[in-house]
Amino acid sequence: MNYFEIMNKCLVELGYKQVNVFAELTKNDHLKLKNIINIINNTICRYDNWYFLMRKKQLELESGNTEIPNTIDGRIIKVMIDNQEYDYLINYEDFIGRTIPEKCFTVCGDKLIFPEFKNEKTISITYYTKNTAISADGTEKSMLEAETDTSLIPMPFVEPLLVYGSCMRLKANPQHVKFSYWYGMYKEALSDMRAQISISAKEMPLIKMHRK
């Protein structure tokens, strides 16, 4: 389900008139709804370590060099060199002008810093992407923008989560005639996603949406 389809689903739930083309979404409530859909999408994607956000990338470190540009677009989970895991050193300041300990790495600005190796090394990095959407051509992005963009949240969960969650947030009134229905459907979809796509039964992400 793409961005345009989600918008029209929301309009139906809200009792508004659907639009025929994306360019017609120019009214004040349309613009609010666009923003809210992205807020809900980003909140769900970034709140926990969902497997559908996990990515892998390989970087090359030249011999005698200790720094490479940090091109990882997200949060690093694991760094492997020669099939050995390297630990992350949080306080990089402690290692300025010093040798990084073996099997460790740190981050300074836009650089990844490693121990010095005599030979070129291939660094395998597993991470959670900070992107939350994907364009029709397969390019990941930080938010839904074009009508054919889709969320990284998998089907069939994306529709109820974004539609009911967005309608609930737009109205933000527990006294609204459909608020309890939207809230219930959102919670049910979130519960189903947590139960069905967690890698481990022990992994139970919790996302809260507070009523205003």
PDB file of all heavy atoms in Angstrom, residues 14 32-33 35-41 43 161-173 179 182-183 186 208-210 212:
ATOM      1  N   LEU A  14     -12.150   9.096   7.950  1.00  0.00           N
ATOM      2  CA  LEU A  14     -12.496  10.383   8.551  1.00  0.00           C
ATOM      3  C   LEU A  14     -13.803  10.969   8.023  1.00  0.00           C
ATOM      4  O   LEU A  14     -14.276  11.994   8.515  1.00  0.00           O
ATOM      5  CB  LEU A  14     -11.355  11.380   8.303  1.00  0.00           C
ATOM      6  CG  LEU A  14     -10.045  11.070   9.026  1.00  0.00           C
ATOM      7  CD1 LEU A  14      -8.901  11.870   8.412  1.00  0.00           C
ATOM      8  CD2 LEU A  14     -10.172  11.370  10.510  1.00  0.00           C
ATOM      9  N   LYS A  32      -2.016  18.259   7.096  1.00  0.00           N
ATOM     10  CA  LYS A  32      -1.852  17.742   8.450  1.00  0.00           C
ATOM     11  C   LYS A  32      -1.746  16.225   8.436  1.00  0.00           C
ATOM     12  O   LYS A  32      -0.912  15.632   9.131  1.00  0.00           O
ATOM     13  CB  LYS A  32      -3.042  18.165   9.326  1.00  0.00           C
ATOM     14  CG  LYS A  32      -3.052  19.617   9.730  1.00  0.00           C
ATOM     15  CD  LYS A  32      -4.251  19.890  10.633  1.00  0.00           C
ATOM     16  CE  LYS A  32      -4.304  21.344  11.061  1.00  0.00           C
ATOM     17  NZ  LYS A  32      -5.492  21.611  11.921  1.00  0.00           N
ATOM     18  N   LEU A  33      -2.610  15.598   7.642  1.00  0.00           N
ATOM     19  CA  LEU A  33      -2.649  14.145   7.575  1.00  0.00           C
ATOM     20  C   LEU A  33      -1.359  13.581   6.985  1.00  0.00           C
ATOM     21  O   LEU A  33      -0.832  12.557   7.456  1.00  0.00           O
ATOM     22  CB  LEU A  33      -3.852  13.703   6.749  1.00  0.00           C
ATOM     23  CG  LEU A  33      -4.303  12.237   6.881  1.00  0.00           C
ATOM     24  CD1 LEU A  33      -4.538  11.872   8.332  1.00  0.00           C
ATOM     25  CD2 LEU A  33      -5.556  12.020   6.059  1.00  0.00           C
ATOM     26  N   ASN A  35       1.589  14.862   7.222  1.00  0.00           N
ATOM     27  CA  ASN A  35       2.598  14.969   8.272  1.00  0.00           C
ATOM     28  C   ASN A  35       2.396  13.915   9.354  1.00  0.00           C
ATOM     29  O   ASN A  35       3.352  13.277   9.810  1.00  0.00           O
ATOM     30  CB  ASN A  35       2.553  16.367   8.890  1.00  0.00           C
ATOM     31  CG  ASN A  35       3.626  16.583   9.926  1.00  0.00           C
ATOM     32  OD1 ASN A  35       4.804  16.395   9.675  1.00  0.00           O
ATOM     33  ND2 ASN A  35       3.212  16.976  11.131  1.00  0.00           N
ATOM     34  N   ILE A  36       1.158  13.697   9.758  1.00  0.00           N
ATOM     35  CA  ILE A  36       0.858  12.734  10.814  1.00  0.00           C
ATOM     36  C   ILE A  36       1.186  11.315  10.383  1.00  0.00           C
ATOM     37  O   ILE A  36       1.722  10.520  11.170  1.00  0.00           O
ATOM     38  CB  ILE A  36      -0.620  12.850  11.234  1.00  0.00           C
ATOM     39  CG1 ILE A  36      -0.831  14.150  12.017  1.00  0.00           C
ATOM     40  CG2 ILE A  36      -1.047  11.649  12.067  1.00  0.00           C
ATOM     41  CD1 ILE A  36      -2.282  14.466  12.319  1.00  0.00           C
ATOM     42  N   ILE A  37       0.884  10.973   9.130  1.00  0.00           N
ATOM     43  CA  ILE A  37       1.219   9.633   8.625  1.00  0.00           C
ATOM     44  C   ILE A  37       2.713   9.382   8.756  1.00  0.00           C
ATOM     45  O   ILE A  37       3.147   8.293   9.170  1.00  0.00           O
ATOM     46  CB  ILE A  37       0.762   9.465   7.162  1.00  0.00           C
ATOM     47  CG1 ILE A  37      -0.762   9.369   7.092  1.00  0.00           C
ATOM     48  CG2 ILE A  37       1.396   8.222   6.528  1.00  0.00           C
ATOM     49  CD1 ILE A  37      -1.326   9.404   5.686  1.00  0.00           C
ATOM     50  N   ASN A  38       3.520  10.378   8.434  1.00  0.00           N
ATOM     51  CA  ASN A  38       4.974  10.235   8.566  1.00  0.00           C
ATOM     52  C   ASN A  38       5.402  10.139  10.028  1.00  0.00           C
ATOM     53  O   ASN A  38       6.311   9.376  10.362  1.00  0.00           O
ATOM     54  CB  ASN A  38       5.687  11.395   7.874  1.00  0.00           C
ATOM     55  CG  ASN A  38       5.991  11.100   6.424  1.00  0.00           C
ATOM     56  OD1 ASN A  38       6.770  10.213   6.098  1.00  0.00           O
ATOM     57  ND2 ASN A  38       5.340  11.832   5.534  1.00  0.00           N
ATOM     58  N   ILE A  39       4.743  10.881  10.899  1.00  0.00           N
ATOM     59  CA  ILE A  39       5.066  10.794  12.327  1.00  0.00           C
ATOM     60  C   ILE A  39       4.785   9.389  12.858  1.00  0.00           C
ATOM     61  O   ILE A  39       5.615   8.795  13.560  1.00  0.00           O
ATOM     62  CB  ILE A  39       4.269  11.845  13.125  1.00  0.00           C
ATOM     63  CG1 ILE A  39       4.782  13.252  12.810  1.00  0.00           C
ATOM     64  CG2 ILE A  39       4.372  11.570  14.631  1.00  0.00           C
ATOM     65  CD1 ILE A  39       3.952  14.359  13.440  1.00  0.00           C
ATOM     66  N   ILE A  40       3.619   8.849  12.534  1.00  0.00           N
ATOM     67  CA  ILE A  40       3.257   7.502  12.984  1.00  0.00           C
ATOM     68  C   ILE A  40       4.215   6.466  12.399  1.00  0.00           C
ATOM     69  O   ILE A  40       4.711   5.578  13.098  1.00  0.00           O
ATOM     70  CB  ILE A  40       1.808   7.160  12.579  1.00  0.00           C
ATOM     71  CG1 ILE A  40       0.816   8.144  13.211  1.00  0.00           C
ATOM     72  CG2 ILE A  40       1.471   5.727  12.969  1.00  0.00           C
ATOM     73  CD1 ILE A  40       0.761   8.095  14.718  1.00  0.00           C
ATOM     74  N   ASN A  41       4.499   6.593  11.106  1.00  0.00           N
ATOM     75  CA  ASN A  41       5.402   5.651  10.446  1.00  0.00           C
ATOM     76  C   ASN A  41       6.792   5.677  11.074  1.00  0.00           C
ATOM     77  O   ASN A  41       7.386   4.636  11.373  1.00  0.00           O
ATOM     78  CB  ASN A  41       5.491   5.988   8.958  1.00  0.00           C
ATOM     79  CG  ASN A  41       6.280   4.964   8.167  1.00  0.00           C
ATOM     80  OD1 ASN A  41       6.024   3.763   8.254  1.00  0.00           O
ATOM     81  ND2 ASN A  41       7.255   5.424   7.401  1.00  0.00           N
ATOM     82  N   THR A  43       7.631   6.822  14.067  1.00  0.00           N
ATOM     83  CA  THR A  43       7.570   6.389  15.468  1.00  0.00           C
ATOM     84  C   THR A  43       7.634   4.874  15.578  1.00  0.00           C
ATOM     85  O   THR A  43       8.388   4.325  16.381  1.00  0.00           O
ATOM     86  CB  THR A  43       6.275   6.907  16.135  1.00  0.00           C
ATOM     87  OG1 THR A  43       6.278   8.330  16.137  1.00  0.00           O
ATOM     88  CG2 THR A  43       6.167   6.400  17.568  1.00  0.00           C
ATOM     89  N   LEU A 161      -2.041   0.120  10.920  1.00  0.00           N
ATOM     90  CA  LEU A 161      -1.209   0.949  11.792  1.00  0.00           C
ATOM     91  C   LEU A 161      -1.199   2.405  11.353  1.00  0.00           C
ATOM     92  O   LEU A 161      -1.393   3.320  12.158  1.00  0.00           O
ATOM     93  CB  LEU A 161       0.220   0.403  11.830  1.00  0.00           C
ATOM     94  CG  LEU A 161       0.429  -0.886  12.633  1.00  0.00           C
ATOM     95  CD1 LEU A 161       1.850  -1.398  12.449  1.00  0.00           C
ATOM     96  CD2 LEU A 161       0.139  -0.652  14.108  1.00  0.00           C
ATOM     97  N   LEU A 162      -0.974   2.641  10.070  1.00  0.00           N
ATOM     98  CA  LEU A 162      -0.870   4.016   9.589  1.00  0.00           C
ATOM     99  C   LEU A 162      -2.229   4.682   9.425  1.00  0.00           C
ATOM    100  O   LEU A 162      -2.377   5.873   9.705  1.00  0.00           O
ATOM    101  CB  LEU A 162      -0.098   4.060   8.266  1.00  0.00           C
ATOM    102  CG  LEU A 162       1.371   3.620   8.334  1.00  0.00           C
ATOM    103  CD1 LEU A 162       2.091   3.965   7.035  1.00  0.00           C
ATOM    104  CD2 LEU A 162       2.091   4.242   9.522  1.00  0.00           C
ATOM    105  N   VAL A 163      -3.224   3.927   8.998  1.00  0.00           N
ATOM    106  CA  VAL A 163      -4.549   4.525   8.790  1.00  0.00           C
ATOM    107  C   VAL A 163      -5.218   4.835  10.121  1.00  0.00           C
ATOM    108  O   VAL A 163      -5.600   5.981  10.395  1.00  0.00           O
ATOM    109  CB  VAL A 163      -5.435   3.599   7.931  1.00  0.00           C
ATOM    110  CG1 VAL A 163      -6.873   4.149   7.890  1.00  0.00           C
ATOM    111  CG2 VAL A 163      -4.876   3.488   6.519  1.00  0.00           C
ATOM    112  N   TYR A 164      -5.372   3.826  10.973  1.00  0.00           N
ATOM    113  CA  TYR A 164      -6.064   4.054  12.245  1.00  0.00           C
ATOM    114  C   TYR A 164      -5.248   4.935  13.185  1.00  0.00           C
ATOM    115  O   TYR A 164      -5.796   5.797  13.885  1.00  0.00           O
ATOM    116  CB  TYR A 164      -6.394   2.726  12.910  1.00  0.00           C
ATOM    117  CG  TYR A 164      -7.337   1.865  12.106  1.00  0.00           C
ATOM    118  CD1 TYR A 164      -7.009   0.555  11.762  1.00  0.00           C
ATOM    119  CD2 TYR A 164      -8.561   2.376  11.667  1.00  0.00           C
ATOM    120  CE1 TYR A 164      -7.879  -0.225  11.009  1.00  0.00           C
ATOM    121  CE2 TYR A 164      -9.433   1.601  10.915  1.00  0.00           C
ATOM    122  CZ  TYR A 164      -9.085   0.302  10.591  1.00  0.00           C
ATOM    123  OH  TYR A 164      -9.940  -0.454   9.838  1.00  0.00           O
ATOM    124  N   GLY A 165      -3.927   4.735  13.196  1.00  0.00           N
ATOM    125  CA  GLY A 165      -3.082   5.565  14.040  1.00  0.00           C
ATOM    126  C   GLY A 165      -3.134   7.029  13.632  1.00  0.00           C
ATOM    127  O   GLY A 165      -3.171   7.927  14.477  1.00  0.00           O
ATOM    128  N   SER A 166      -3.149   7.282  12.323  1.00  0.00           N
ATOM    129  CA  SER A 166      -3.170   8.664  11.825  1.00  0.00           C
ATOM    130  C   SER A 166      -4.516   9.333  12.065  1.00  0.00           C
ATOM    131  O   SER A 166      -4.575  10.511  12.449  1.00  0.00           O
ATOM    132  CB  SER A 166      -2.829   8.689  10.337  1.00  0.00           C
ATOM    133  OG  SER A 166      -1.527   8.182  10.120  1.00  0.00           O
ATOM    134  N   CYS A 167      -5.606   8.605  11.846  1.00  0.00           N
ATOM    135  CA  CYS A 167      -6.936   9.170  12.105  1.00  0.00           C
ATOM    136  C   CYS A 167      -7.083   9.520  13.581  1.00  0.00           C
ATOM    137  O   CYS A 167      -7.612  10.584  13.934  1.00  0.00           O
ATOM    138  CB  CYS A 167      -8.018   8.175  11.694  1.00  0.00           C
ATOM    139  SG  CYS A 167      -8.154   7.921   9.910  1.00  0.00           S
ATOM    140  N   MET A 168      -6.608   8.620  14.438  1.00  0.00           N
ATOM    141  CA  MET A 168      -6.694   8.847  15.878  1.00  0.00           C
ATOM    142  C   MET A 168      -5.907  10.085  16.284  1.00  0.00           C
ATOM    143  O   MET A 168      -6.358  10.902  17.087  1.00  0.00           O
ATOM    144  CB  MET A 168      -6.153   7.606  16.601  1.00  0.00           C
ATOM    145  CG  MET A 168      -6.175   7.676  18.106  1.00  0.00           C
ATOM    146  SD  MET A 168      -5.706   6.082  18.832  1.00  0.00           S
ATOM    147  CE  MET A 168      -4.077   5.840  18.116  1.00  0.00           C
ATOM    148  N   ARG A 169      -4.731  10.253  15.702  1.00  0.00           N
ATOM    149  CA  ARG A 169      -3.890  11.392  16.067  1.00  0.00           C
ATOM    150  C   ARG A 169      -4.434  12.700  15.482  1.00  0.00           C
ATOM    151  O   ARG A 169      -4.329  13.757  16.106  1.00  0.00           O
ATOM    152  CB  ARG A 169      -2.461  11.159  15.594  1.00  0.00           C
ATOM    153  CG  ARG A 169      -1.511  12.287  15.960  1.00  0.00           C
ATOM    154  CD  ARG A 169      -0.122  11.803  16.164  1.00  0.00           C
ATOM    155  NE  ARG A 169       0.758  12.870  16.628  1.00  0.00           N
ATOM    156  CZ  ARG A 169       1.951  12.676  17.162  1.00  0.00           C
ATOM    157  NH1 ARG A 169       2.409  11.452  17.328  1.00  0.00           N
ATOM    158  NH2 ARG A 169       2.699  13.687  17.541  1.00  0.00           N
ATOM    159  N   LEU A 170      -5.001  12.648  14.277  1.00  0.00           N
ATOM    160  CA  LEU A 170      -5.538  13.862  13.671  1.00  0.00           C
ATOM    161  C   LEU A 170      -6.687  14.414  14.518  1.00  0.00           C
ATOM    162  O   LEU A 170      -6.744  15.619  14.793  1.00  0.00           O
ATOM    163  CB  LEU A 170      -6.020  13.586  12.245  1.00  0.00           C
ATOM    164  CG  LEU A 170      -6.636  14.784  11.522  1.00  0.00           C
ATOM    165  CD1 LEU A 170      -5.566  15.834  11.230  1.00  0.00           C
ATOM    166  CD2 LEU A 170      -7.317  14.353  10.221  1.00  0.00           C
ATOM    167  N   LYS A 171      -7.582  13.546  14.950  1.00  0.00           N
ATOM    168  CA  LYS A 171      -8.724  14.001  15.747  1.00  0.00           C
ATOM    169  C   LYS A 171      -8.322  14.239  17.201  1.00  0.00           C
ATOM    170  O   LYS A 171      -8.773  15.202  17.819  1.00  0.00           O
ATOM    171  CB  LYS A 171      -9.868  12.993  15.659  1.00  0.00           C
ATOM    172  CG  LYS A 171     -10.497  12.932  14.275  1.00  0.00           C
ATOM    173  CD  LYS A 171     -10.969  14.318  13.838  1.00  0.00           C
ATOM    174  CE  LYS A 171     -11.588  14.317  12.449  1.00  0.00           C
ATOM    175  NZ  LYS A 171     -12.013  15.658  12.016  1.00  0.00           N
ATOM    176  N   ALA A 172      -7.481  13.353  17.738  1.00  0.00           N
ATOM    177  CA  ALA A 172      -6.915  13.520  19.092  1.00  0.00           C
ATOM    178  C   ALA A 172      -7.982  13.854  20.132  1.00  0.00           C
ATOM    179  O   ALA A 172      -7.759  14.670  21.023  1.00  0.00           O
ATOM    180  CB  ALA A 172      -5.828  14.592  19.067  1.00  0.00           C
ATOM    181  N   ASN A 173      -9.128  13.225  20.000  1.00  0.00           N
ATOM    182  CA  ASN A 173     -10.221  13.489  20.936  1.00  0.00           C
ATOM    183  C   ASN A 173     -10.891  12.167  21.308  1.00  0.00           C
ATOM    184  O   ASN A 173     -11.608  11.578  20.499  1.00  0.00           O
ATOM    185  CB  ASN A 173     -11.248  14.432  20.296  1.00  0.00           C
ATOM    186  CG  ASN A 173     -12.419  14.727  21.218  1.00  0.00           C
ATOM    187  OD1 ASN A 173     -12.406  14.367  22.403  1.00  0.00           O
ATOM    188  ND2 ASN A 173     -13.439  15.368  20.672  1.00  0.00           N
ATOM    189  N   PHE A 179     -13.147   7.318  17.794  1.00  0.00           N
ATOM    190  CA  PHE A 179     -11.828   7.273  18.415  1.00  0.00           C
ATOM    191  C   PHE A 179     -11.530   5.910  19.041  1.00  0.00           C
ATOM    192  O   PHE A 179     -10.451   5.346  18.839  1.00  0.00           O
ATOM    193  CB  PHE A 179     -11.696   8.368  19.477  1.00  0.00           C
ATOM    194  CG  PHE A 179     -10.295   8.504  20.025  1.00  0.00           C
ATOM    195  CD1 PHE A 179      -9.394   9.377  19.441  1.00  0.00           C
ATOM    196  CD2 PHE A 179      -9.881   7.756  21.119  1.00  0.00           C
ATOM    197  CE1 PHE A 179      -8.095   9.500  19.930  1.00  0.00           C
ATOM    198  CE2 PHE A 179      -8.595   7.866  21.611  1.00  0.00           C
ATOM    199  CZ  PHE A 179      -7.702   8.743  21.016  1.00  0.00           C
ATOM    200  N   TRP A 182     -10.764   3.340  16.319  1.00  0.00           N
ATOM    201  CA  TRP A 182      -9.437   3.525  15.741  1.00  0.00           C
ATOM    202  C   TRP A 182      -8.352   3.046  16.707  1.00  0.00           C
ATOM    203  O   TRP A 182      -7.414   2.362  16.316  1.00  0.00           O
ATOM    204  CB  TRP A 182      -9.203   4.998  15.399  1.00  0.00           C
ATOM    205  CG  TRP A 182     -10.057   5.525  14.296  1.00  0.00           C
ATOM    206  CD1 TRP A 182     -10.584   4.811  13.256  1.00  0.00           C
ATOM    207  CD2 TRP A 182     -10.502   6.874  14.120  1.00  0.00           C
ATOM    208  NE1 TRP A 182     -11.317   5.635  12.437  1.00  0.00           N
ATOM    209  CE2 TRP A 182     -11.286   6.903  12.941  1.00  0.00           C
ATOM    210  CE3 TRP A 182     -10.314   8.050  14.838  1.00  0.00           C
ATOM    211  CZ2 TRP A 182     -11.873   8.063  12.475  1.00  0.00           C
ATOM    212  CZ3 TRP A 182     -10.891   9.221  14.375  1.00  0.00           C
ATOM    213  CH2 TRP A 182     -11.670   9.221  13.209  1.00  0.00           C
ATOM    214  N   TYR A 183      -8.520   3.427  17.965  1.00  0.00           N
ATOM    215  CA  TYR A 183      -7.534   3.063  18.981  1.00  0.00           C
ATOM    216  C   TYR A 183      -7.449   1.543  19.138  1.00  0.00           C
ATOM    217  O   TYR A 183      -6.366   0.962  19.219  1.00  0.00           O
ATOM    218  CB  TYR A 183      -7.911   3.718  20.313  1.00  0.00           C
ATOM    219  CG  TYR A 183      -6.897   3.518  21.415  1.00  0.00           C
ATOM    220  CD1 TYR A 183      -5.582   3.925  21.266  1.00  0.00           C
ATOM    221  CD2 TYR A 183      -7.277   2.941  22.633  1.00  0.00           C
ATOM    222  CE1 TYR A 183      -4.656   3.760  22.276  1.00  0.00           C
ATOM    223  CE2 TYR A 183      -6.361   2.769  23.657  1.00  0.00           C
ATOM    224  CZ  TYR A 183      -5.048   3.178  23.469  1.00  0.00           C
ATOM    225  OH  TYR A 183      -4.134   3.015  24.476  1.00  0.00           O
ATOM    226  N   TYR A 186      -5.818  -0.018  16.003  1.00  0.00           N
ATOM    227  CA  TYR A 186      -4.376   0.271  16.009  1.00  0.00           C
ATOM    228  C   TYR A 186      -3.657  -0.659  16.975  1.00  0.00           C
ATOM    229  O   TYR A 186      -2.637  -1.265  16.641  1.00  0.00           O
ATOM    230  CB  TYR A 186      -4.146   1.726  16.392  1.00  0.00           C
ATOM    231  CG  TYR A 186      -2.692   2.084  16.578  1.00  0.00           C
ATOM    232  CD1 TYR A 186      -1.903   2.476  15.505  1.00  0.00           C
ATOM    233  CD2 TYR A 186      -2.093   2.010  17.836  1.00  0.00           C
ATOM    234  CE1 TYR A 186      -0.559   2.794  15.670  1.00  0.00           C
ATOM    235  CE2 TYR A 186      -0.753   2.327  18.013  1.00  0.00           C
ATOM    236  CZ  TYR A 186       0.002   2.709  16.932  1.00  0.00           C
ATOM    237  OH  TYR A 186       1.331   3.017  17.100  1.00  0.00           O
ATOM    238  N   LYS A 208       3.826   3.049  22.719  1.00  0.00           N
ATOM    239  CA  LYS A 208       2.699   3.673  23.376  1.00  0.00           C
ATOM    240  C   LYS A 208       2.270   4.923  22.615  1.00  0.00           C
ATOM    241  O   LYS A 208       3.098   5.694  22.175  1.00  0.00           O
ATOM    242  CB  LYS A 208       3.044   4.057  24.816  1.00  0.00           C
ATOM    243  CG  LYS A 208       3.341   2.859  25.710  1.00  0.00           C
ATOM    244  CD  LYS A 208       3.666   3.323  27.128  1.00  0.00           C
ATOM    245  CE  LYS A 208       3.962   2.133  28.036  1.00  0.00           C
ATOM    246  NZ  LYS A 208       4.288   2.572  29.419  1.00  0.00           N
ATOM    247  N   MET A 209       0.964   5.100  22.482  1.00  0.00           N
ATOM    248  CA  MET A 209       0.400   6.339  21.956  1.00  0.00           C
ATOM    249  C   MET A 209      -0.525   6.895  23.010  1.00  0.00           C
ATOM    250  O   MET A 209      -1.541   6.288  23.351  1.00  0.00           O
ATOM    251  CB  MET A 209      -0.353   6.100  20.650  1.00  0.00           C
ATOM    252  CG  MET A 209       0.543   5.735  19.493  1.00  0.00           C
ATOM    253  SD  MET A 209      -0.363   5.683  17.944  1.00  0.00           S
ATOM    254  CE  MET A 209      -0.868   7.388  17.762  1.00  0.00           C
ATOM    255  N   HIS A 210      -0.158   8.014  23.595  1.00  0.00           N
ATOM    256  CA  HIS A 210      -0.914   8.573  24.691  1.00  0.00           C
ATOM    257  C   HIS A 210      -2.108   9.362  24.182  1.00  0.00           C
ATOM    258  O   HIS A 210      -2.013  10.138  23.237  1.00  0.00           O
ATOM    259  CB  HIS A 210      -0.006   9.482  25.536  1.00  0.00           C
ATOM    260  CG  HIS A 210       1.138   8.764  26.139  1.00  0.00           C
ATOM    261  ND1 HIS A 210       1.003   7.903  27.201  1.00  0.00           N
ATOM    262  CD2 HIS A 210       2.470   8.762  25.820  1.00  0.00           C
ATOM    263  CE1 HIS A 210       2.184   7.419  27.532  1.00  0.00           C
ATOM    264  NE2 HIS A 210       3.094   7.912  26.698  1.00  0.00           N
ATOM    265  N   LYS A 212      -4.713  12.309  24.209  1.00  0.00           N
ATOM    266  CA  LYS A 212      -4.640  13.704  24.611  1.00  0.00           C
ATOM    267  C   LYS A 212      -5.974  14.164  25.188  1.00  0.00           C
ATOM    268  O   LYS A 212      -7.008  13.678  24.831  1.00  0.00           O
ATOM    269  CB  LYS A 212      -4.250  14.582  23.417  1.00  0.00           C
ATOM    270  CG  LYS A 212      -2.856  14.274  22.879  1.00  0.00           C
ATOM    271  CD  LYS A 212      -2.522  15.219  21.751  1.00  0.00           C
ATOM    272  CE  LYS A 212      -1.117  14.947  21.217  1.00  0.00           C
ATOM    273  NZ  LYS A 212      -0.774  15.859  20.117  1.00  0.00           N
TER     274      LYS A 212
END
